[in-house]
């Protein structure tokens, strides 16, 4: 450890302690000391992450490693309580439901002709889960491919039809737009020609842009045809449309990112330092 | 303070008596007023059919409006819908409620008995500590209401005794009650067939004036209170009602009708057609490719860059970082990334460059380990494979980023490859990668994140290209065949869009209507 | 056999899932499969958590670079795990929600996990700026188009966009920056989004078909088509 | 005092940018840490000085406002809180102002969440809006919170046809049938409007795909800016209004405040946030200009060589 880093460490510790004491004095109630510690800790972690922007440093490393450990455990606990206790147990066992004090729901699959109780149906994921854990046994590791095959297969099937319906068929039909909006002949069209945002020309222009944009965008994605000649021209128009899309998307997103920073600074200035209301 | 919890149990006792209570509802006697307006005309052409495209348990009624639906003194304001219920339905209902009550009671006992016992013990301990039983404890939720400890103790003891005595009895009742319910359910079909004996008409709903249809649905769950029996003869009546509820048309009756599930949802025919189209295209072109037909694919710069990037890493003697993103193994983008990882890992094994694969999801990690391992095996370098090169980081987006950013600055990989699903972390990763001076190749189908990759990575695969990448890298004719099929589907779409536009311009809604998917 | 059985499973369940979409009596199967996956994922947490602990423990034992920080990870992991799995310090005991207000688990979440996560997220504000500065340069035609679109949208989301162009006559008011921003969002942007969406839809469908038909099997650790 | 602060701020930021611009003309790059510092200052100072602007609603925002406003009062509206604390700064203001509008108009609000973490976010709205501004509204009669159910899109698949199956009780375990506001609600189609406020997955898009499209119930959403462009293809056919990002929230707040004078002094977190937003945007724009100046200066040098 260099001398400078020791000085920094001491300063950080002093600042932490000072903040704890000052906050504890400002807070009221039974848990004043505890709350002061927690808010100081949260502020310390916030600043530790921000310090990464300057460069990698021990405080960031500390925050990063803490974050990894805590978050891994957090999601494990959430998974256990919400999936196993919340969804699996109520379907398979009445006495376990009572143990965890969740309402037993039972139920099953009703195919009209026969009835398959969840009590047995939901043994399938348990078996698959145990097969997955066979990875830990070196000789039987290959059997863990079964649950993986199950997962990939089911979701390939489900995604296939879902995407076909929602991202595909519906999007195609949404691009069926009339190119002639409010059409009363050429005379009317040219006499009213203007760039007014809600005028006839702009409405028609928008529809044309959408239609051509979709077609050219799709042409850009053609893999098995060389992009030359008119096809190449269309593909070039397609990439421009995509670039406008990405530019717009980027510009729009900046807004949200600033809000997040405002949120953090509000915490630092408000909850921690108490200088804004 | 701490006696509060215990006292809940005492209160439980007071409530207990109501456990098996049943309530009778007497039908309200509506005052019979002399009709001041003439009754409206009844509905005509009433039809009852099984609701289409469902799993059963529903009947749809349709009718033509009463001629008085519209205006006039006796204008129809609503249509009352009635269904004939055999009395057996009530039997089923009450049996179901009994069973539920018994179950609840058993469960309550199972949970509350140990709590009551504990509470009794604690209360006794407290009393012993204070050496008196002459204090009062507050009852929660009832401000200002307190009980003497003596009273609370005796009540608790009574509760415990009551629970102990009754639990076995209650438990032994569940089985027979279940059987009884099952038998009653079996009798339902017969009871419905006995129309009009042993049953009565009950109102099941209202359709507002102007409506010409009504759907009567219920649950498919036999244990639910609104269970709707399939394959049973059902009868319906519809009456037109005026503003004065006593003035109504004569009832029109329809039946018998049975509900049942359909094996095919006709509203989804367009989807089926597209599935079949895809299947035909894919199989055809894959067969063609297998026969050796030469299929052209245009070069993708992002893909070509992968090889160079691996070469560069080898020259510099630095590792390659491969990220599968934050998708789980069910998502197709993650699966596409597995395929790309397989190809990349094979090259990496050939070049003997180290590879680092930090994973976001344990299942993804398991698959990735499998993929990398067999790629090394294929390259004939299974000895070089180290399992710790593919590892789990954490299951939370930003913690994952924090850790990967650390890896980037500390391990200084020569090349970062991002393939799969990326959300907000895209820019955090890519900017840190730029800072570390790595060559970066990205590919994602998250539209919102593509711009960030475009601005900070050297090469970016846009949307669909991610799915094509594995076929490109694999260079197997079969996979290229499926790319060709994809292009044909694209051509079909463009033709459809063109035709759709023409159809809209000419005012033919039928074409657009075909693309309507219901359900 | 080691390869045929998993492939058979994929093909069988894949087609089953497709059929369930069209067949009302088993339309709920997709839901059940989702839940199956969640349950299997919880089993997989044992793999993930085990892997995490093993890596950091080995770092610690072998005194690799930054080994001291592995202690932080391990302590954080085990403390959070114990608090969460056994609901330590939860006022409502076992029946209360894991994240009940006042429980130790939610206190740790609110004061460790949340500030860390939000701050990591907020770093984006800075990175967006540095990326715009570095990358939005008119190097070629495509880059210029990207730059101009982003510039107009950025300007349109500030009140200055209005101030710069409010003098435009009504017949040209499409060119007012806020209107132009809206038009870009709703016309070319929509076209681009839609093209990408349809493309992705196609890619997903094609990839899924390859999986179900057994053409693509890299995920099974097999690199032969 | 405030004015002096604003002027000082403008001088500081403007002067700094001018200096960087002049450096750029000489072909000197800006270090990324300098960019970071400018962003920090341009967000922190307006926040400390609370600078706000007037807003004019864009059509997509107005569409949602008009939809809520034109429904006959007493309509039942489902509002889903599908976000978590890290996302909250951006979408919580939308959830708050929509809730306020719905209740002020006399509609019935039914709340739920698809995110485990959405529960605590609802509590924020409960404290800040419902309890604070509408103490007379009765839980169970004017509004109800159904809470969280695990299962993401699975939940939507179920409630599309059978709400009670997924939510047998509300968050306080009061049975469905004994809550007056829910009487007659069987599925999502029984709502006059469904609004999802969120920014991730599952979120607004899932609501549109799994509920709005199949049932035809009007669906609207408030989302983080990053998701908004992805939703535009759904407007106006599949969605009847979109709030994208804090700017839309600010527009909604301003529009609502003007039309409901009773709430003229309500908290407007989104409007407050627009100050830092605007300054930061201008700074980013300036950096883009500086970057391009640098690029052209460098190119000219190359051409000369």
């Amino acid at each position: 450890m260099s001398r400078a880093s020791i000085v920094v460490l001491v300063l950080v510790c002093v600042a932490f302690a000072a903040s704890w004491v000052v906050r504890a004095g400002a807070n009221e109630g039974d848990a004043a000391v505890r709350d002061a510690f927690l808010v100081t800790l949260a502020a310390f972690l916030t600043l530790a992450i921000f310090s990464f922007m300057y460069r990698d440093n021990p405080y960031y490393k500390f925050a990063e490693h803490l974050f990894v450990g805590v978050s891994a455990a957090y999601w494990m606990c959430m998974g256990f309580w919400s999936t196993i206790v919340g969804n699996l147990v109520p379907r398979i066992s009445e006495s376990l439901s009572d143990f965890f004090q969740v309402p037993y729901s039972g139920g099953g699959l009703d195919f009209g002709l026969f009835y398959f109780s969840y009590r047995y149906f939901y043994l399938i994921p348990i078996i698959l889960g145990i097969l997955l854990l066979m990875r830990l046994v070196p000789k039987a590791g290959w059997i863990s491919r079964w649950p993986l095959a199950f997962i990939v297969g089911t979701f390939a099937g489900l995604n296939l039809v879902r995407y076909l319906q929602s991202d595909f068929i519906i999007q195609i039909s949404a691009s069926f737009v009339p190119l002639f909006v409010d059409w009363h002949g050429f005379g009317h069209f040219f006499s009213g020609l203007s760039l007014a945002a809600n005028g006839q020309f702009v409405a028609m222009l928008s529809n044309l842009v959408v239609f051509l944009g979709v077609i050219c965008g799709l042409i850009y994605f053609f893999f098995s045809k060389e992009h030359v000649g008119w096809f190449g021209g269309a593909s070039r128009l397609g990439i421009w449309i995509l670039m406008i899309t990405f530019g717009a998307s980027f510009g729009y997103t900046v807004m949200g990112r600033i809000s997040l920073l405002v949120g953090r600074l509000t915490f630092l200035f408000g909850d921690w330092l108490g200088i804004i209301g | 303070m701490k006696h509060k919890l215990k006292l809940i149990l005492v209160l439980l006792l007071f409530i207990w008596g109501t456990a098996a209570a049943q309530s009778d509802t007497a039908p309200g006697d509506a005052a019979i007023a002399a009709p001041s307006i003439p009754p409206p005309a009844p509905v005509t052409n009433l039809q009852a059919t099984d609701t289409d495209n469902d799993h059963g348990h529903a009947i749809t009624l349709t009718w033509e409006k009463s001629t008085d639906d519209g205006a006039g003194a006796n204008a129809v304001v609503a249509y009352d819908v009635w269904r004939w219920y055999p009395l057996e339905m009530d039997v089923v209902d009450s049996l179901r409620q009994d069973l539920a009550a018994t179950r609840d009671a058993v469960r309550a006992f199972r949970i509350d008995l140990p709590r009551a016992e504990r509470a009794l013990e604690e209360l006794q301990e407290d009393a012993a500590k204070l050496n008196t039983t002459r204090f009062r404890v507050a009852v929660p939720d009832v401000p200002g209401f307190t009980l003497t400890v003596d009273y609370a103790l005796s009540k608790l003891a009574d509760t415990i005794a009551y629970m102990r005595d009754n639990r076995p009895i209650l438990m032994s009742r569940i089985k027979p009650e279940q059987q009884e319910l099952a038998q009653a359910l079996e009798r339902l079909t017969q009871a419905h067939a006995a129309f009009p004996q042993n049953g009565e008409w009950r109102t099941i709903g209202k359709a507002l004036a102007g409506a010409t249809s009504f759907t009567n649905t219920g649950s498919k769950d036999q244990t639910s209170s609104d269970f709707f029996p399939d394959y049973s003869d059902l009868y319906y009546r519809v009456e037109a009602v005026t503003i004065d509820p006593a003035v109504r048309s004569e009832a029109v009756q329809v039946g018998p009708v049975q509900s049942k599930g359909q094996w095919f949802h006709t509203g989804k025919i367009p989807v089926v057609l597209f599935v079949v189209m895809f299947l035909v295209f894919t199989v055809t072109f894959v067969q063609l490719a297998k026969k050796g037909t030469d299929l052209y694919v245009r070069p993708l710069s992002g893909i070509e860059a992968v090889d160079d990037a691996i070469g560069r890493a080898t020259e510099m003697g630095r590792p390659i970082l491969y990220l599968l993103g934050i998708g789980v193994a069910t998502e197709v983008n993650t699966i596409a990334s597995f395929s790309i990882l397989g190809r990349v890992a094979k090259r990496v094994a050939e070049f003997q460059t180290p590879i680092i694969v930090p994973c976001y999801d344990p299942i993804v990690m398991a698959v990735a380990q499998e993929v990398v391992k067999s790629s090394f095996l294929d390259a004939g370098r299974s000895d070089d494979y180290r399992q710790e090169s593919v590892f789990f980081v954490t299951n939370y987006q930003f913690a994952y980023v924090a850790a990967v950013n650390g890896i980037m600055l500390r391990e200084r990989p020569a090349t970062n490859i991002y393939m799969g699903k990326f959300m907000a972390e895209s820019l955090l990763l890519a900017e840190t990668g730029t800072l570390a001076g790595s060559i970066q190749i990205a590919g994602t189908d998250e539209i919102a994140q593509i711009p960030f990759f475009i601005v900070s990575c050297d090469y970016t695969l846009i949307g669909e290209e991610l799915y094509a990448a594995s076929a490109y890298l694999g260079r197997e004719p079969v996979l290229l065949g499926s790319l060709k099929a994809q292009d044909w589907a694209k051509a079909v779409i463009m033709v459809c869009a063109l035709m759709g536009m023409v159809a809209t311009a000419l005012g033919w809604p039928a074409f657009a209507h075909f693309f309507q998917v219901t359900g | 056999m080691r390869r045929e059985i998993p492939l058979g499973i994929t093909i069988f369940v894949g087609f089953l899932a497709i059929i369930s979409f069209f067949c009302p009596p088993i339309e709920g199967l997709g839901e059940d499969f989702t839940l199956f996956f969640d349950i299997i994922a919880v089993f997989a947490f044992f793999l993930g958590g085990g892997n995490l602990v093993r890596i950091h423990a080995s770092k610690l034992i072998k005194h690799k670079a930054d080994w001291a920080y592995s202690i932080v990870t391990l302590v954080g992991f085990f403390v959070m795990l114990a608090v969460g799995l056994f609901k330590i310090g939860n006022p409502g005991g076992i029946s209360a929600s894991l994240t009940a207000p006042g429980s130790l688990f939610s206190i740790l979440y609110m004061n460790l996990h949340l500030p860390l996560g939000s701050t990591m997220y907020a770093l984006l504000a800075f990175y967006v700026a540095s990326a715009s500065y570095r990358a939005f340069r008119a190097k070629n035609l495509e880059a210029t188009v990207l730059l101009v679109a982003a510039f107009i949208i950025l300007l349109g989301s500030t009140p200055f966009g209005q101030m710069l162009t409010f003098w435009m006559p009504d017949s040209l008011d499409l060119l007012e920056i806020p209107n132009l921003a809206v038009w870009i969002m709703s016309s070319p942007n929509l076209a681009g989004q839609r093209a990408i969406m349809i493309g992705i839809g196609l890619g997903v469908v094609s990839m899924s078909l390859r999986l179900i038909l057994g053409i693509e099997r890299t995920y099974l650790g097999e690199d032969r088509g | 005092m405030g004015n002096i602060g604003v002027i000082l701020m403008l001088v500081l930021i403007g002067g700094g940018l001018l200096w960087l611009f002049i450096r750029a003309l000489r072909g000197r790059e800006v270090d990324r840490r300098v960019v970071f510092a400018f962003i920090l200052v341009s967000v922190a100072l307006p926040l400390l000085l609370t600078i706000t602007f007037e807003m004019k609603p864009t059509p997509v925002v107005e569409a949602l406002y008009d939809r809520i406003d034109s429904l006959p009062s007493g309509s039942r509206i489902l509002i889903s809180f599908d976000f978590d604390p890290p996302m909250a700064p951006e979408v919580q203001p939308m959830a708050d102002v929509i809730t306020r509008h719905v209740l002020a108009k006399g509609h019935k609000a039914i709340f739920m969440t698809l995110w485990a973490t959405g529960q605590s976010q609802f509590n924020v709205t409960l404290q800040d809006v419902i309890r604070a501004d509408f103490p007379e509204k009765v839980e169970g009669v004017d509004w109800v919170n159904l809470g969280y159910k695990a299962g993401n899109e699975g939940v939507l698949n179920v409630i599309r046809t059978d709400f009670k199956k997924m939510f047998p009780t509300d968050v306080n375990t009061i049975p469905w049938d004994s809550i007056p506001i829910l009487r007659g609600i069987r599925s999502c189609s029984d709502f006059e409007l469904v609004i999802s406020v969120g920014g991730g997955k599952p979120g607004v898009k899932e609501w549109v795909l799994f509920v709005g499209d199949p049932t035809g119930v009007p669906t609207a959403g408030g989302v983080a800016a990053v998701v908004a462009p992805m939703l535009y293809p759904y407007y106006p056919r599949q969605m009847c209004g979109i709030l994208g990002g804090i700017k839309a929230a600010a527009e909604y707040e301003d529009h609502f405040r003007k039309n409901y004078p009773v709430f003229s002094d309500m908290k407007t977190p989104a409007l407050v946030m627009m100050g830092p937003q605007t300054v930061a945007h201008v700074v980013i724009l300036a950096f883009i200009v500086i970057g391009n100046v640098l690029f052209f200066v460098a190119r000219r040098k190359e051409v000369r060589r």
Side-chain angles (χ1 to χ4, degrees), chain A residues 258-277:
Chain A
I258 304 287
S259 321
L260 297 167
L261 180 57
V262 175
R264 266 350 265 164
L265 291 183
T266 313
F267 164 77
L268 286 179
F269 293 151
D271 297 355
W272 182 45
L273 296 177
I275 47 180
I276 56 170

Side-chain angles (χ1 to χ4, degrees), chain C residues 179-196:
Chain C
N179 290 343
L180 198 57
V182 170
W183 184 79
I184 288 177
M185 289 309 283
S186 61
S187 292
N189 171 58
L190 181 117
Q193 297 266 352
R194 196 169 274 162
I196 300 172

Side-chain angles (χ1 to χ4, degrees), chain B residues 286-299:
Chain B
V286 166
Q287 288 305 328
L288 272 181
K290 273 187 183 162
K291 275 187 204 145
T293 315
D294 194 25
L295 298 173
Y296 167 84
V297 287
R298 80 175 159 92

Side-chain angles (χ1 to χ4, degrees), chain C residues 32-148:
Chain C
D32 286 312
F33 282 153
T34 311
L35 203 49
F36 276 21
F37 170 72
D38 290 347
I39 293 165
I40 299 173
V42 176
F43 278 90
F45 278 145
F46 284 101
L47 286 181
N51 190 277
L52 179 92
V53 171
R54 207 177 61 201
I55 284 189
H56 284 278
S58 91
K59 244 186 178 177
L60 193 62
I61 293 163
K62 292 181 188 159
H63 277 226
K64 283 188 188 166
D66 291 335
W67 59 272
Y69 295 102
S70 290
I71 303 174
V72 179
T73 303
L74 290 174
V75 168
F77 179 74
F78 283 115
V79 167
M80 199 69 179
L81 197 65
V83 168
L85 283 189
F86 305 114
K87 292 198 174 172
I88 296 169
N90 194 318
I94 196 169
S95 62
S97 136
L98 182 59
T99 50
S103 67
L104 189 53
F105 191 75
S106 72
I107 289 177
L108 286 178
Y109 173 78
M110 293 304 287
N111 293 288
L112 290 179
H113 199 280
L114 179 63
L116 285 166
S118 310
T119 312
M120 215 52 219
Y121 202 176
L123 280 188
L124 272 176
F126 299 103
Y127 282 26
V128 153
S130 71
S132 329
Y133 162 70
R134 210 190 60 246
F136 280 147
R137 297 189 182 181
K139 290 171 205 155
N140 51 38
L141 202 54
E142 277 96 38
T144 314
V145 173
L146 184 79
L147 161 72
V148 170

Side-chain angles (χ1 to χ4, degrees), chain A residues 25-267:
Chain A
N27 284 0
E28 284 167 14
D30 303 336
V33 176
R34 190 195 74 179
D35 288 349
F37 174 75
L38 290 175
V39 78
T40 307
L41 180 66
F44 166 73
L45 293 174
T46 302
L47 294 174
I49 295 283
F50 275 146
S51 72
F52 182 69
M53 282 187 296
Y54 183 66
R55 64 158 189 240
D56 192 21
N57 63 71
Y59 302 96
Y60 175 75
K61 280 186 199 169
F62 174 83
E64 169 208 323
H65 281 80
L66 181 68
F67 197 12
V68 167
V70 168
S71 67
Y74 178 84
W75 294 99
M76 282 173 80
C77 297
M78 290 298 271
F80 176 76
W81 286 103
S82 75
T83 307
I84 300 293
V85 176
N87 281 319
L88 179 63
V89 163
R91 284 187 168 82
I92 58 166
S93 163
E94 208 166 345
S95 51
L96 268 179
S97 308
D98 284 349
F99 176 76
F100 285 112
Q101 303 188 6
V102 287
Y104 174 70
S105 66
L109 293 177
D110 182 11
F111 294 110
L113 302 174
F114 64 97
Y115 185 82
F116 195 12
S117 167
Y118 277 152
R119 198 179 282 258
Y120 307 109
F121 190 52
Y122 270 79
L123 289 180
I124 298 174
I126 299 180
I127 294 168
L128 290 174
I130 291 167
L131 289 184
L132 186 68
L133 291 184
M134 296 300 274
R135 292 186 66 76
L136 300 172
V137 185
K139 286 260 157 162
W142 56 273
I143 212 171
S144 72
R145 287 178 183 177
W146 293 15
L148 301 178
F150 176 86
I151 293 169
V152 170
T154 46
F155 284 89
L158 290 174
N159 285 326
L160 191 146
V161 280
R162 280 184 190 159
Y163 272 84
L164 253 183
Q165 176 174 358
S166 58
D167 270 20
F168 192 78
I169 297 181
I170 293 184
Q171 287 302 327
I172 298 175
S173 67
S175 54
F176 296 168
V177 286
L179 284 193
F180 300 105
V181 183
D182 195 22
W183 190 252
H184 299 289
F186 285 99
H188 178 266
F189 175 72
F190 283 110
S191 64
L193 192 63
S194 77
L195 269 181
N198 47 10
Q200 185 195 11
F201 175 72
V202 169
M204 284 172 57
L205 179 72
S206 304
N207 284 354
L208 187 72
V209 165
V210 169
F211 181 77
L212 282 183
V214 172
I215 298 284
C216 294
L218 282 175
I219 284 177
Y220 168 75
F221 285 117
F222 260 82
F223 299 112
S224 63
K225 192 161 168 31
E226 248 178 301
H227 288 188
V228 286
W230 69 268
F231 202 77
S235 145
R236 218 171 155 67
L237 191 60
I239 191 89
W240 290 351
I241 291 282
L242 293 183
M243 284 300 153
I244 296 181
T245 305
F246 296 142
S249 191
F250 188 107
Y252 214 69
T253 309
V254 172
M255 180 156 62
R257 303 315 188 207
I258 304 287
S259 321
L260 297 167
L261 180 57
V262 175
R264 266 350 265 164
L265 291 183
T266 313
F267 164 77

